[in-house]
Amino acid sequence: LYCGDIKTSKSISPDYWLQVAFYAAAYEEEYREPISDTCIVLLTKDGKIDVRYRKQDYKVDWRDDFRTFCKVREIYSWAEENKYFGFSK
């Protein structure tokens, strides 16, 4: 079972992998089915379709991306709580 996201841009941004890893983790938690890998489907303006799989292209397990997502979210929350980077409540 794969979890993917469809993007319309010129290239695959590194943060796309963090986003799709979050989707995969949420799916596993909700449905109790293991996700083998994640993928990004890139639809370009010239009509091309490019599909990239995380393990195949980068030799990285999507769970590593999810751990990074969690760390980034923790930093974001800390910055928001402490009014860093222009955050205000």
Side-chain angles (χ1 to χ4, degrees), residues 4-34:
D5 197 4
I6 299 171
K7 299 292 186 183
T8 55
S9 63
K10 292 181 182 178
S11 62
I12 296 175
S13 175
D15 59 307
Y16 293 171
W17 294 112
L18 303 183
Q19 184 179 13
V20 76
F22 172 77
Y23 298 155
Y27 183 92
E28 276 195 350
E29 183 176 324
E30 180 68 23
Y31 298 103
R32 303 289 183 224
E33 293 182 62

Side-chain angles (χ1 to χ4, degrees), residues 19-50:
Q19 184 179 13
V20 76
F22 172 77
Y23 298 155
Y27 183 92
E28 276 195 350
E29 183 176 324
E30 180 68 23
Y31 298 103
R32 303 289 183 224
E33 293 182 62
I35 298 291
S36 299
D37 198 4
T38 56
C39 64
I40 303 290
V41 178
L42 187 63
L43 307 177
T44 61
K45 287 183 180 181
D46 59 0
K48 293 181 182 175
I49 299 172
D50 186 10

Side-chain angles (χ1 to χ4, degrees), residues 3-5 17 22-23 25-26 37 41 44 51 58 60-61 68 72 82:
C3 183
D5 197 4
W17 294 112
F22 172 77
Y23 298 155
D37 198 4
V41 178
T44 61
V51 181
Y58 301 100
V60 174
D61 189 273
T68 301
V72 169
N82 291 285

